[in-house]
Amino acid sequence: QVQLVESGGGSVQAGGSLRLSCSASGRTFSSYAMGWFRQAPGKEREFVAGIRRDGSTYYADSVKGRFTITRDNAKNTVYLQMNSLKPEDTAVYYCAATSTTGSFARPGTYNYWGQGTQVTVSA
């Protein structure tokens, strides 16, 4: 079992930055691939970024060059640094963990989810 807790959300003006954190319970954090997803009102949950156990990263085209995902296995934490934020980045952001090797971008690949943290970007 893995429990995930996100933090770091908030309100920011367009062009600003936020850093989201996701703390995981358990002693096997390093064995999981981690992902960030987001869901805006009335829209489906969409992939934002992912990081494999070996540290390789993947991004949605909409955030490439603006967002950076990293992980600190010693702290059981994964981060999402978000720069140059846009109003369309407004959503609830979710952290997720998977022990499988499925597609990063599919929510169904992930075994565990956090409760989400709200990010609001104003124009």
Side-chain angles (χ1 to χ4, degrees), residues 44-74:
E44 292 188 353
R45 192 167 298 190
E46 65 173 359
F47 172 73
V48 175
I51 186 165
R52 292 196 186 280
R53 290 172 288 180
D54 64 4
S56 55
T57 57
Y58 302 84
Y59 297 93
D61 288 342
S62 59
V63 306
K64 204 170 292 184
R66 299 188 297 123
F67 291 10
T68 303
I69 185 171
T70 57
R71 66 188 300 161
D72 185 337
N73 290 336

Side-chain angles (χ1 to χ4, degrees), residues 4-5 8 10 19 33-34 41 44 46 48 50-51 62 67-68 72-74 82 87 96 99 104 107-108 112 118 120:
L4 305 173
V5 179
R19 187 176 82 154
M34 303 297 296
E44 292 188 353
E46 65 173 359
V48 175
I51 186 165
S62 59
F67 291 10
T68 303
D72 185 337
N73 290 336
M82 306 186 295
S99 57
F104 252 129
Y112 305 101
Q118 176 71 47
T120 302

Side-chain angles (χ1 to χ4, degrees), residues 9-26:
S11 298
V12 64
Q13 289 190 327
S17 298
L18 284 172
R19 187 176 82 154
L20 305 183
S21 300
C22 173
S23 296
S25 64

